[in-house]
Amino acid sequence: MKIEYEVSKNNKKFIRQLAKQDMRFEKSKTAISVFTIGISVAFILAVILVLLGAAEKHKLTQAGKAQITMAITDAEQIKKLQEQPETEWVGISATLGFSYQDGITLNVLYEDKQQIEKQERIKYIGEIPSKENEVMLPSQYSSVLDKEIKIGDYVNLDITGTGTSEKYIVSGIADIRCLEKDFFVWVSEKKAEELYRDSLVPRTAYIRMSTDSYDMNILNNMGMSLAEKAGVIKESVSPIMDYCVVMSGGDMGGIYITIFPVSIVVFLLASVIVYSIFYASVMKNVRGFGRLCAIGMSKKQICQMVKFERNIYSICGILSGIILGGFISFIVNVEGFRIKNFLTASIIIAILMFLVIKIALYKPVKIASTISPIEGSKWINASGNNYVSRKIGNKLTATRIGIINLRRNLKKTILTIFILSFGGILLVTVSTVAESLSARKMAEFYMFPYGDIQIRIQSVGKTTFDENIQQDRISNLQRTKNPLNESLTNTLKNIHGVKKINTENAVNLSIEYQGGTLATSGGTGGLTSVLNEEQCALLSQAVIQGSSDYAELSKKNGILLRNGTADLHVGDTVLLEGTDKSGNEFKTEVPVIGIYDQNLQQEICPLSSGSDFIVVDNTARKLTGIEELTGIITVDYARNQEDNVKSQMEYLCDQSDQIEMYGIEESIKTRSEIFDAKTQPLYLISLILFIFGIISLVNTSLTNLIVRKREFALLEAIGMTGKQIRKVVLTEEISYFIISTLLTLVIGNIGGILMCNYLEKTSHCVKLKLPFVISIIYIVSLVLVELIIIWRSFAKMKEDSIVESLSIQE
């Protein structure tokens, strides 16, 4: 009666003391619970903050930069812009031109200090050119001069590429990464005016206004007002798309889309693991709750006791998880870490995790609070449902006991294997796809079906400073004397290592169509494929709407449109643009005769232009006046002669200002970057799932060990040796390992192969390659985790004697 009196008199104090005593007594259970909550919160928080941090870091590339541009016609306008109160700074840039010389491309431009430092953010030493004989060069230009560049050095440069070299002083050296054989050279404003002595220097003002807005309408209105004050043509005002898109997060949609599913997946897994831990913990103590009822505690007080323990676990686990998650995200992405994001995400995750823990305890607390003292004293459901074998005369061995233990709580066993396997399956599936994605195969299929090197007509001559520069140079050269002629093909055939030469008809055309906004669609490099009658007949198998009838296409000057290019249908009209036989621009309305599937088209009639639409040769000749329609020559070569073929073809192109070489490498690089952007989030999700599977396995194994300590002592008391008991535990852990590994490797590889088959049919970008390295890493990781669990389990068994273990009150 004394205990009952104390319980009623000091209700809260007694309950808290009892809960604290239980937590001190069950140190392992407490540690596992707090660790599980903490690591779950840390993972969720770290994933969200790292992804948000990546978006914030990306914004830094544009933060503080100019928001609008204007075309400037005189220096007085610049002065007026700088004087306006809504203007923070004005940077001036003028792209003057470029030239091809000695195997390199020289890009000439003028930029003032504000533009270089605040807009381009180029680091440099020395000074910006201010005199006519001063230049600033990139540090990499040393490779052209074969010596290190220093401030004050004299260099001979043919700025215009017209064959006239002048001596310049190096006033500055820019730390900028240039493309291979593609260099910038900065000149002074005076030099720019000298180069454009007969016309206006094409200056563009980059303006940073006193606003952080990235709304294009707001910026455009502010720009219009500013232009009016400075006397600038309003039509030249244009918000900078990069600034608006980056600051609004428009180009980071992939990251924001990734955050939601990743967070949900991690949160659900964390919830399942937390639930399993607390369920096992409370159910283990049901017998003790029954005894407490017998000595006077009410059901409400038992619930309060469990809730008090829950609150302690929650507070300790959530706080430690928030600290750890914040630390991880800060270390991973210092520049993108924001206190605001950290606090917001922490509060939301803390509330959600507390709700998860509350839900996790609902069922076991309900059982504990409704059980009578007599039922509680007989409760033995600490490990799950009793399993009864239907077979008679089975030999009871340590191995069989281990298997029986797995089947006693089959739901928990299946859940543990599922969580562990699911992450591994996704990891192997993603790895199979990632390993099998071939940027080269995709580039070969869509752009280089006949070989890795193409020769096309050079759209610009040796220099843009040529006073006689032609509009639509490609068409003009094709009309007069097409450089892609029989003489060139014979020269290419004579290069040692060349296996085959393929020629294709292509011309410089584009289309305009009305679809909400006016857009232009044309082939890569401005080339549009041109088909003959035989090719049109072949292409008919790839047409999904309309037809590829050669006669109809010729008569109506119609086009064939690639499916997915625009919201256009057969019978719609578009404006076909180009230059006619006199070199003058034309725009003519033509109908869409057919729409084709590009995948089928590339299989049936491979084309190298990559154009979004196709015309027939009669149409091309009639509208452009071009008779020799060859636009692309593709070279296929022996792989062991790659260097020799490329070097000779480069030399051949360098000797002429009419042809240029296109290699497959740039196309491969572009596609590889796209593949990486798609697969990296999937790798992240699968890795997180795998880690949580490991956490689930560890928690399940260690919790079972704690719950079944008295059970193992009873087995040892009735004659089982320590070795046999360890064999029971070993059987359980090996079962988890074998089943999970088999499911992961079999289902993961099958899933990967099926996904690869789908991608190959739709995108032609797969060369199947099974992820042996990832599979080995997965198996080794799982083996190491199992060894650690087994080692810890065996060590734990040795801590207490049989008598101590038998005296444990469940």
Side-chain angles (χ1 to χ4, degrees):
M1 296 300 294
K2 185 178 180 182
I3 294 178
E4 184 179 353
Y5 172 77
E6 289 182 353
V7 170
S8 60
K9 185 178 180 180
N10 299 302
N11 185 21
K12 291 184 179 180
K13 183 178 179 181
F14 177 81
I15 290 170
R16 290 178 180 177
Q17 288 177 344
L18 198 61
K20 289 178 181 178
Q21 182 179 349
D22 181 61
M23 287 188 288
R24 283 195 297 269
F25 181 72
E26 294 284 3
K27 290 182 180 179
S28 297
K29 180 194 73 174
T30 302
I32 291 173
S33 300
V34 173
F35 171 80
T36 302
I37 297 170
I39 204 70
S40 300
V41 170
F43 260 109
I44 299 170
L45 184 62
V47 168
I48 292 174
L49 290 182
V50 166
L51 292 173
L52 288 175
E56 293 293 342
K57 185 178 179 180
H58 184 58
K59 287 182 180 180
L60 293 177
T61 62
Q62 295 296 321
K65 284 192 174 185
Q67 301 122 320
I68 61 170
T69 62
M70 297 181 187
I72 301 299
T73 56
D74 59 64
E76 188 64 27
Q77 292 174 332
I78 301 172
K79 186 178 179 180
K80 288 181 179 179
L81 285 172
Q82 292 170 336
E83 290 173 349
Q84 301 308 315
E86 63 265 43
T87 302
E88 287 189 11
W89 55 263
V90 178
I92 304 299
S93 174
T95 301
L96 304 176
F98 62 91
S99 61
Y100 301 107
Q101 47 185 290
D102 300 325
I104 67 169
T105 302
L106 203 63
N107 300 278
V108 185
L109 62 158
Y110 158 69
E111 291 180 318
D112 66 3
K113 189 172 183 178
Q114 296 276 42
Q115 180 70 11
I116 288 176
E117 293 182 356
K118 294 189 175 182
Q119 181 64 24
E120 304 294 347
R121 292 178 179 170
I122 297 172
K123 295 181 180 179
Y124 65 95
I125 57 174
E127 299 293 335
I128 305 298
S130 59
K131 299 177 181 178
E132 288 185 30
N133 65 337
E134 290 182 343
V135 293
M136 182 167 75
L137 297 173
S139 56
Q140 287 178 287
Y141 199 74
S142 298
S143 62
V144 178
L145 300 175
D146 291 328
K147 67 174 184 178
E148 184 181 355
I149 305 174
K150 296 180 181 178
I151 302 296
D153 284 354
Y154 286 90
V155 293
N156 288 315
L157 290 174
D158 179 6
I159 292 289
T160 61
T162 55
T164 304
S165 294
E166 296 181 41
K167 185 178 286 188
Y168 295 90
I169 299 173
V170 178
S171 66
I173 299 174
D175 181 16
I176 181 174
R177 185 177 180 181
C178 301
L179 297 175
E180 187 180 2
K181 298 183 179 181
D182 197 344
F183 300 96
F184 293 101
V185 54
W186 287 265
V187 299
S188 65
E189 186 174 19
K190 292 180 180 179
K191 186 64 179 179
E193 290 172 348
E194 180 191 318
L195 294 172
Y196 277 78
R197 56 182 175 271
D198 296 327
S199 58
L200 291 172
V201 176
R203 294 183 182 90
T204 299
Y206 285 76
I207 303 166
R208 174 70 193 188
M209 296 177 292
S210 54
T211 178
D212 290 327
S213 174
Y214 44 79
D215 184 281
M216 294 188 70
N217 291 326
I218 293 174
L219 295 176
N220 190 63
N221 292 334
M222 292 181 70
M224 290 289 186
S225 174
L226 196 60
E228 186 176 1
K229 294 177 182 178
V232 178
I233 300 173
K234 289 184 179 181
E235 287 74 15
S236 72
V237 175
S238 177
I240 298 176
M241 184 66 71
D242 284 351
Y243 176 86
C244 297
V245 171
V246 171
M247 296 308 293
S248 65
D251 64 338
M252 298 297 284
I255 283 184
Y256 292 121
I257 291 172
T258 302
I259 290 174
F260 183 73
V262 169
S263 303
I264 292 296
V265 168
V266 174
F267 191 77
L268 289 175
L269 288 174
S271 303
V272 171
I273 296 171
V274 169
Y275 177 84
S276 64
I277 294 297
F278 278 96
Y279 185 86
S281 172
V282 174
M283 297 307 288
K284 171 183 177 292
N285 290 326
V286 167
R287 208 172 186 186
F289 295 150
R291 293 194 182 104
L292 290 173
C293 286
I295 61 174
M297 279 190 75
S298 67
K299 294 173 182 179
K300 182 179 179 181
Q301 290 169 334
I302 289 175
C303 290
Q304 289 175 345
M305 175 182 166
V306 176
K307 289 177 182 178
F308 179 78
E309 289 189 33
R310 176 199 67 192
N311 292 339
I312 296 296
Y313 293 150
S314 301
I315 293 170
C316 294
I318 291 172
L319 286 178
S320 60
I322 287 173
I323 294 170
L324 179 60
F327 178 75
I328 292 172
S329 61
F330 179 78
I331 294 298
V332 171
N333 193 347
V334 177
E335 294 181 11
F337 186 84
R338 299 289 182 273
I339 295 295
K340 180 182 177 181
N341 290 341
F342 170 70
L343 293 176
T344 304
S346 297
I347 292 171
I348 294 172
I349 291 169
I351 293 172
L352 291 176
M353 184 55 69
F354 188 81
L355 290 174
V356 166
I357 296 169
K358 187 174 181 180
I359 293 170
L361 282 171
Y362 175 77
K363 184 178 178 181
V365 167
K366 185 177 180 181
I367 294 173
S369 63
T370 56
I371 198 166
S372 67
I374 296 174
E375 290 174 323
S377 63
K378 297 188 291 183
W379 188 272
I380 56 171
N381 194 29
S383 300
N385 298 324
N386 294 326
Y387 168 72
V388 180
S389 175
R390 296 179 181 179
K391 295 181 180 180
I392 300 174
N394 283 332
K395 186 178 180 181
L396 198 61
T397 63
T399 301
R400 181 159 182 77
I401 292 174
I403 295 173
I404 290 173
N405 283 334
L406 290 173
R407 299 178 69 175
R408 285 169 62 187
N409 197 337
L410 195 57
K411 291 182 180 179
K412 189 173 183 181
T413 301
I414 292 173
L415 183 62
T416 302
I417 292 173
F418 171 76
I419 295 175
L420 185 61
S421 302
F422 186 65
I425 289 168
L426 187 58
L427 182 64
V428 173
T429 300
V430 170
S431 300
T432 302
V433 174
E435 291 281 336
S436 301
L437 287 175
S438 173
R440 167 173 282 278
K441 185 174 181 180
M442 192 174 188
E444 288 174 345
F445 183 81
Y446 289 106
M447 296 296 299
F448 294 83
Y450 298 107
D452 289 356
I453 302 177
Q454 295 174 2
I455 291 182
R456 303 189 183 195
I457 298 173
Q458 194 166 287
S459 58
V460 179
K462 284 290 185 182
T463 175
T464 58
F465 294 97
D466 186 353
E467 295 179 359
N468 299 316
I469 189 168
Q470 296 176 317
Q471 184 182 18
D472 192 3
R473 187 170 185 263
I474 294 174
S475 297
N476 286 328
L477 286 173
Q478 283 182 308
R479 269 189 291 267
T480 53
K481 187 179 179 181
N482 195 333
L484 305 183
N485 49 36
E486 188 176 351
S487 175
L488 177 61
T489 56
N490 289 332
T491 302
L492 292 171
K493 287 177 181 178
N494 291 328
I495 295 175
H496 181 64
V498 171
K499 293 165 56 179
K500 189 178 180 180
I501 303 292
N502 184 77
T503 60
E504 294 180 62
N505 291 340
V507 294
N508 189 19
L509 292 173
S510 63
I511 60 171
E512 286 186 357
Y513 53 89
Q514 192 69 38
T517 57
L518 200 64
T520 301
S521 176
T524 303
L527 292 178
T528 298
S529 290
V530 177
L531 302 186
N532 56 33
E533 189 170 1
E534 182 182 352
Q535 289 173 313
C536 281
L538 286 172
L539 194 62
S540 63
Q541 302 173 57
V543 174
I544 56 179
Q545 289 183 35
S547 73
S548 62
D549 182 69
Y550 180 82
E552 185 180 6
L553 287 163
S554 298
K555 182 180 179 180
K556 297 180 179 179
N557 295 327
I559 66 168
L560 295 171
L561 192 69
R562 179 175 63 83
N563 186 39
T565 299
D567 187 20
L568 292 170
H569 306 281
V570 172
D572 290 345
T573 58
V574 298
L575 287 177
L576 186 63
E577 301 178 354
T579 55
D580 60 22
K581 61 182 180 180
S582 301
N584 300 319
E585 286 188 7
F586 70 79
K587 287 187 179 181
T588 182
E589 197 172 78
V590 299
V592 177
I593 302 299
I595 296 177
Y596 63 92
D597 181 277
Q598 189 182 24
N599 287 325
L600 291 174
Q601 168 258 307
Q602 285 296 103
E603 291 176 2
I604 299 164
C605 180
L607 301 172
S608 303
S609 71
S611 58
D612 296 327
F613 69 98
I614 300 170
V615 297
V616 296
D617 50 13
N618 274 349
T619 299
R621 290 191 177 99
K622 192 189 315 178
L623 297 179
T624 66
I626 299 171
E627 293 298 325
E628 297 297 328
L629 296 169
T630 304
I632 303 171
I633 294 178
T634 305
V635 177
D636 189 22
Y637 55 84
R639 295 299 173 190
N640 59 350
Q641 295 294 323
E642 180 177 1
D643 294 338
N644 174 61
V645 172
K646 284 186 177 181
S647 62
Q648 291 198 49
M649 288 183 66
E650 284 177 356
Y651 176 79
L652 189 64
C653 291
D654 289 340
Q655 299 307 301
S656 172
D657 65 348
Q658 296 184 346
I659 59 174
E660 59 185 333
M661 189 174 82
Y662 287 82
I664 196 174
E665 291 77 15
E666 191 63 31
S667 186
I668 291 173
K669 181 182 177 183
T670 301
R671 285 166 171 78
S672 294
E673 290 173 353
I674 295 173
F675 290 161
D676 290 341
K678 298 292 185 182
T679 56
Q680 284 174 0
L682 294 176
Y683 265 124
L684 176 63
I685 294 172
S686 57
L687 182 61
I688 290 170
L689 289 172
F690 176 63
I691 291 173
F692 267 95
I694 295 295
I695 294 172
S696 175
L697 178 64
V698 171
N699 283 334
T700 299
S701 300
L702 295 183
T703 303
N704 282 344
L705 183 67
I706 294 169
V707 171
R708 292 162 55 198
K709 185 181 286 187
R710 190 166 185 265
E711 177 186 322
F712 288 143
L714 283 170
L715 290 174
E716 193 170 355
I718 62 175
M720 285 189 72
T721 64
K723 183 177 180 181
Q724 289 174 317
I725 292 175
R726 287 193 291 271
K727 192 173 181 180
V728 171
V729 176
L730 192 63
T731 299
E732 295 176 22
E733 298 304 325
I734 289 176
S735 298
Y736 283 129
F737 169 75
I738 292 175
I739 297 172
S740 300
T741 301
L742 288 175
L743 288 174
T744 294
L745 297 181
V746 173
I747 299 177
N749 281 306
I750 291 174
I753 292 170
L754 292 175
M755 183 63 71
C756 285
N757 287 337
Y758 171 76
L759 291 174
E760 175 61 18
K761 289 179 180 178
T762 56
S763 303
H764 300 273
C765 59
V766 171
K767 285 185 177 179
L768 187 61
K769 184 179 178 183
L770 297 179
F772 293 109
V773 175
I774 294 295
S775 298
I776 292 170
I777 292 173
Y778 168 81
I779 293 171
V780 170
S781 300
L782 204 53
V783 168
L784 290 175
V785 170
E786 289 289 2
L787 289 175
I788 292 171
I789 292 173
I790 292 168
W791 167 78
R792 179 58 185 159
S793 299
F794 291 172
K796 193 72 178 173
M797 289 178 186
K798 293 180 181 179
E799 290 179 2
D800 300 323
S801 65
I802 299 177
V803 176
E804 290 173 336
S805 297
L806 287 172
S807 64
I808 293 175
Q809 298 298 318
E810 294 183 352

